[in-house]
Amino acid sequence: MIRKSLEDGVQTLRLDRPEKKNALTGQMYNDLAEALEAGNTDADIRCHLICGLPEVFTAGNDIGDFLQYAGKTGLGETPVVRFLRALVRNEKPLVASVDGIAIGVGTTLLMHCDMVFASPRALIRSPFVDLGLVPEAGSSLLGPQIMGPARAFELLCLGNAFSAEKAEQAGLVNEVVEGDVDAAALACAKEIAAKPPEAMALSRKLLRGDTARLSERVEEEIRIFASRLSAPETIAAFQAFMTKKKA
């Protein structure tokens, strides 16, 4: 589930599904998307903070849940697509607190954040190719822009895990926090929320530039990702993953 709260202009969105390592279901994607969409028109929300639980940010998609709804409808208007589009259209600053594993979309959503804080035990990994899939959330565009082509390939194609220190060196994480990473992220979010909102919005928009290209890339990734779901090597990779998981 997603636990939402609003304090001092900061909307905190906490991933809270410990029994499944915060693996994201369709309902969780819808809740996250709804919260980001609401922030675009709610003046009381000046900043979003996404965080997980101790030792786990998110294990990524709940594979079983994802295959169930994607198999019936494709990716057209599924909750995950709604969330990806909401990330691109989000108009308020976005801060993340990463303590533990951040897998798949747990990695790619960080590329949309304005500030990312990580604990030393954070582990960032995107095994898309291992599952016969392709990167998503615009990461095929944002990754090279943030980290450079070589490190983006290592993270998104080779699937290597990045430690918190390596992610900071790559520019994906702003700060590695030795103490309470959630507290540090919340303090930053409140600092952002306390600044003049119009100036903040205009400045953020200038930094991000025209998002049309990013939106186009997200849609292109969605189309390719959807076509890969029926590819023989993808089916085989998912079957191997599910068998290994059951074992």
Side-chain angles (χ1 to χ4, degrees):
M1 66 184 308
I2 306 298
R3 296 192 182 277
K4 295 190 291 184
S5 61
L6 181 61
E7 179 184 355
D8 297 334
V10 177
Q11 176 173 239
T12 298
L13 306 172
R14 183 174 296 279
L15 313 180
D16 189 8
R17 195 184 177 213
E19 71 280 7
K20 294 292 184 178
K21 297 183 179 180
N22 283 349
L24 296 172
T25 64
Q27 184 59 56
M28 292 170 76
Y29 277 123
N30 271 331
D31 289 345
L32 287 169
E34 182 180 327
L36 293 178
E37 291 162 357
N40 291 340
T41 56
D42 189 341
D44 291 334
I45 298 174
R46 295 189 173 190
C47 184
H48 302 288
L49 169 62
I50 297 182
C51 51
L53 300 171
E55 299 189 27
V56 57
F57 183 60
T58 174
N61 273 322
D62 183 305
I63 299 297
D65 182 83
F66 174 77
L67 291 178
Q68 185 175 18
Y69 64 71
K72 292 177 181 178
T73 64
L75 288 183
E77 298 300 326
T78 52
V80 64
V81 168
R82 180 186 178 189
F83 173 65
L84 298 181
R85 290 171 177 162
L87 279 175
V88 176
R89 297 166 184 167
N90 172 48
E91 298 176 6
K92 300 293 175 69
L94 181 60
V95 179
S97 172
V98 182
D99 183 16
I101 60 170
I103 308 299
V105 70
T107 291
T108 57
L109 76 83
L110 300 180
M111 299 179 190
H112 294 265
C113 293
D114 301 286
M115 294 290 293
V116 177
F117 295 83
S119 74
R121 59 188 175 188
L123 190 68
I124 295 168
R125 184 167 180 261
S126 299
F128 297 114
V129 173
D130 291 342
L131 291 172
L133 299 170
V134 297
E136 35 81 318
S139 59
S140 62
L141 178 65
L142 295 175
Q145 290 177 351
I146 294 169
M147 299 178 283
R151 277 184 166 157
F153 182 91
E154 183 181 356
L155 180 67
L156 298 171
C157 296
L158 194 57
N160 281 359
F162 279 28
S163 65
E165 181 181 5
K166 186 168 184 175
E168 183 181 32
Q169 292 170 351
L172 189 59
V173 166
N174 291 87
E175 183 179 342
V176 178
V177 180
E178 292 290 342
D180 189 336
V181 64
D182 282 359
L186 179 59
C188 177
K190 287 185 176 182
E191 181 182 356
I192 291 170
K195 294 184 181 295
E198 290 184 14
M200 177 61 72
L202 290 168
S203 298
R204 182 178 186 269
K205 189 172 183 179
L206 285 169
L207 289 175
R208 292 188 167 262
D210 187 358
T211 59
R213 187 181 175 206
L214 175 59
S215 182
E216 290 173 1
R217 180 59 61 88
V218 167
E219 297 303 324
E220 181 181 9
E221 290 171 346
I222 289 169
R223 289 193 298 271
I224 297 173
F225 197 104
S227 69
R228 293 297 302 166
L229 290 175
S230 59
E233 67 177 8
T234 306
I235 294 171
F238 271 110
Q239 289 174 340
F241 174 83
M242 297 304 287
T243 300
K244 181 179 179 181
K245 186 176 179 181
K246 290 178 181 179

